[in-house]
Amino acid sequence: MANDTSPLKVAGVVSFYMVAALVMVFVNKAVLNKSPDLPLLFLFLQLSIAVVLLHGAAAVTSRVEIPKFELETAKKLTPVVTVNIIGLIFNTLCLRDVEASFFQIARGLVLPLTILVSLLSTRSTPSARVIIAAMAVTAGFFLGVAPSSTVPLHATPSTLSLVYGFFSSLFIAFHAVLIKSSLPHCDNSTIQLAYWTNLGSAAFLVPFIVLRGEAMILEDLIHDSNWDGNVFLWGSLVTGVFGFLLCMAGLLSIKVTSPITHMFSSAARSVIQTVLGVHLFNDIMTVNRAGSILVILLGTMFYTWVKSVESAQPPPPSRKDIDLEALGNSAVSEETEMTSVVFDAAEKE
């Protein structure tokens, strides 16, 4: 963390980031509860709003630069955009089908899968402490998904929802690896990469929205007196705006916080998210689930500490820390929140 950064500024940025990420998760969940048949259209609106707001921000400040559309650049960024939107789709479907407090458990394999994908792509050997951290997080995941007689049938996650969570985590891991190779095509600008990612992801969704007939479903719902369209409309607007704010918050956090500070804020957000999920949506919290969340958090925090210690050893790596949540969906979270402006990360944490 920079020496000239005041504690008050750090606290402000971290608080801003936590609030934006929490709003993303819970508003997304509320909309998906009311309109479960419109997940892709909902995601498309989020991404489109973020693109519009990025244009608006570029009009008022030179800090936000909209890249020029070049076909060659679009081709080079196709892999990261494709992986990102597939991850967001699985992320959205997972959040739709599980309780808000269980969401971080369902996506608990993000860290182990990221380590595995990075290992395969770089052909490097992780340290023993990194392996211990990955094993701890994996154990926490299996603790949380283990069948329990104390969980009512309606609150038991389906096998399909866990599959969604696994693939969401897997594509977040691929996205994390692809970011490094994609940034040079955007002048190493996270803002430009966020713009390309959101615009490309929105365009990618259009044919699938048509194929699923979600436009027709929306038309039917509009004429259904039992459907509350205000939740869908305002939810899309709020998540689009907060997804954009998450992008800004993520970029700010790169400048004023350290990876350790960011991970501790993510851990605190996870606890708050669990408590709010139980309170707002009457989620079921068991000893197994609470223990699972605790083990996943401790394993992730241990990993962050290990990487901080390892990177401090000479020679120091000449690399720029990238907050993956600021580049992925913000409904998602810690590793990438459910909007790909990304969208947390850690959320797409």
Side-chain angles (χ1 to χ4, degrees):
M1 180 162 56
N3 294 330
D4 58 349
T5 301
S6 68
L8 185 62
K9 185 175 182 179
V10 173
V13 170
V14 170
S15 299
F16 175 44
Y17 192 98
M18 287 177 63
V19 170
L22 286 169
V23 169
M24 282 298 302
V25 172
F26 287 104
V27 175
N28 268 285
K29 183 59 179 173
V31 173
L32 292 170
N33 281 350
K34 294 291 185 180
S35 306
D37 295 326
L38 301 173
L40 300 187
L41 183 59
F42 177 46
L43 185 54
F44 171 79
L45 291 174
Q46 285 184 0
L47 296 167
S48 301
I49 291 171
V51 170
V52 171
L53 290 176
L54 282 169
H55 274 283
V60 298
T61 174
S62 59
R63 293 177 179 271
V64 177
E65 182 180 356
I66 301 299
K68 295 180 180 179
F69 183 81
E70 297 175 349
L71 185 59
E72 190 63 29
T73 301
K75 290 180 179 178
K76 292 177 180 178
L77 294 177
T78 296
V80 71
V81 171
T82 303
V83 166
N84 177 74
I85 189 56
I86 294 175
L88 288 183
I89 290 172
F90 281 121
N91 204 65
T92 303
L93 295 175
C94 179
L95 180 61
R96 181 193 66 180
D97 292 349
V98 303
E99 296 181 336
S101 60
F102 189 82
F103 183 54
Q104 56 193 316
I105 299 175
R107 296 173 61 254
L109 291 178
V110 168
L111 177 60
L113 289 174
T114 300
I115 294 173
L116 177 61
V117 171
S118 178
L119 168 65
L120 295 175
S121 66
T122 61
R123 300 186 183 279
S124 59
T125 303
S127 66
R129 288 185 294 187
V130 168
I131 294 175
I132 291 173
M135 292 175 62
V137 172
T138 303
F141 168 78
F142 283 108
L143 175 64
V145 301
S148 174
S149 58
T150 59
V151 179
L153 185 60
H154 70 85
T156 302
S158 66
T159 302
L160 184 58
S161 67
L162 295 179
V163 170
Y164 289 152
F166 171 80
F167 279 107
S168 170
S169 302
L170 179 62
F171 279 94
I172 286 172
F174 282 124
H175 186 255
V177 173
L178 285 172
I179 284 176
K180 183 177 180 180
S181 61
S182 300
L183 277 170
H185 304 313
C186 304
D187 298 327
N188 288 315
S189 167
T190 54
I191 283 286
Q192 289 192 29
L193 181 57
Y195 180 84
W196 276 107
T197 301
N198 279 273
L199 181 62
S201 297
F204 182 92
L205 279 174
V206 172
F208 293 95
I209 292 173
V210 174
L211 289 173
R212 287 193 80 251
E214 290 195 13
M216 299 297 294
I217 294 173
L218 177 61
E219 184 178 357
D220 292 339
L221 288 173
I222 291 175
H223 296 94
D224 185 348
S225 58
N226 295 321
W227 184 62
D228 188 354
N230 287 328
V231 174
F232 182 81
L233 178 62
W234 286 105
S236 299
L237 180 61
V238 169
T239 52
V241 170
F242 273 86
F244 165 77
L245 292 178
L246 260 179
C247 180
M248 299 298 104
L251 294 173
L252 285 172
S253 71
I254 293 172
K255 296 183 178 180
V256 304
T257 70
S258 66
I260 292 289
T261 302
H262 180 71
M263 185 51 65
F264 271 92
S265 70
S266 296
R269 190 179 72 246
S270 296
V271 174
I272 296 172
Q273 180 176 316
T274 301
V275 173
L276 289 177
V278 173
H279 178 69
L280 296 177
F281 296 106
N282 297 316
D283 291 353
I284 304 298
M285 183 52 57
T286 64
V287 174
N288 271 22
R289 290 185 175 185
S292 169
I293 293 171
L294 178 62
V295 172
I296 290 173
L297 287 179
L298 290 177
T300 304
M301 292 168 69
F302 177 65
Y303 170 80
T304 306
W305 175 78
V306 169
K307 297 305 292 181
S308 177
V309 170
E310 290 179 353
S311 66
Q313 296 174 353
S318 57
R319 61 180 288 274
K320 186 176 181 180
D321 289 325
I322 300 299
D323 185 339
L324 300 183
E325 286 182 331
L327 299 174
N329 186 332
S330 311
V332 268
S333 91
E334 299 111 79
E335 291 74 16
T336 26
E337 303 305 326
M338 262 231 359
T339 315
S340 168
V341 245
V342 110
F343 291 179
D344 227 220
E347 91 232 84
K348 132 20 116 338
E349 225 176 19

